[in-house]
Amino acid sequence: MALTDLNPLIEKAKELGSLEVGFLSASEVVVAHWVRLKCMFGCPDYGKFRTCPPYTPDAEEMKRILSEYNQVMLIKTTSHDKATEIVAKLMGWLYSQGEFKAFPLGSGRCRLCQECDIENCRSPHMAYPSMEACSIDVFETIRRVGWSREERSPEGDFLHYGAVLLW
Ligand code: SF4
């Protein structure tokens, strides 16, 4: 199934706080092995959160997952937390519309708890991995919808990105 009219989804994303949305075919999402290397070395959160490597799909697995989707929605907003919250809520909305396959990918590590309980997540309905935790090259992927990593919000804030694998 695929929503024939994307406008309600776009409106929902904006209502939830997305500054802009973009759409890509799933085959245009850029997946790279080096992204996981950045998680493994240089990131203090590696292995400490359920939503981070090594618990998330590596590049090969992510390519296989993406091959089962046709379309991906990207959103941009002003914080890691907001990006993950928006895509998690969009998934909930899509589910209510009968789009059961939709899956959210947020930004950064999960920030819902100070210390993660990897075996027994306290908020499984809001704790989703980031794009980068799934080996997605975020900056190259957003470039494909015409966005730039140099862009800032009207207030001068850094921008953060999320994705929803749609159908
Ligand atoms: S909600 Fe808490 S327990 Fe679950 S992944 Fe996030 S930090 Fe870990």
Side-chain angles (χ1 to χ4, degrees), residues 40-59:
M40 292 169 72
F41 302 97
C43 179
D45 298 326
Y46 179 78
K48 293 185 181 159
F49 292 85
R50 178 184 165 85
T51 54
C52 290
Y55 309 108
T56 49
D58 63 17

Side-chain angles (χ1 to χ4, degrees), residues 19-115:
L19 298 175
E20 199 175 348
V21 302
F23 292 91
L24 281 178
S25 64
S27 60
E28 290 177 286
V29 174
V30 181
V31 178
H33 294 276
W34 65 262
V35 179
R36 196 172 183 89
L37 203 59
K38 292 281 189 179
C39 293
M40 292 169 72
F41 302 97
C43 179
D45 298 326
Y46 179 78
K48 293 185 181 159
F49 292 85
R50 178 184 165 85
T51 54
C52 290
Y55 309 108
T56 49
D58 63 17
E60 290 307 317
E61 191 178 2
M62 199 60 207
K63 285 179 194 171
R64 286 197 295 275
I65 291 168
L66 283 165
S67 75
E68 296 175 358
Y69 286 85
N70 292 311
Q71 197 166 20
V72 175
M73 179 187 195
L74 296 176
I75 63 104
K76 71 167 80 154
T77 189
T78 50
S79 76
H80 287 299
D81 305 12
K82 193 76 189 159
T84 305
E85 183 189 329
I86 290 170
V87 293
K89 287 184 174 174
L90 283 174
M91 185 193 71
W93 183 81
L94 284 159
Y95 193 91
S96 74
Q97 305 299 305
E99 299 291 350
F100 306 118
K101 193 175 163 185
F103 189 83
L105 297 171
S107 179
R109 69 161 170 83
C110 185
R111 286 175 162 75
L112 295 173
C113 313
Q114 284 258 315
E115 200 168 317

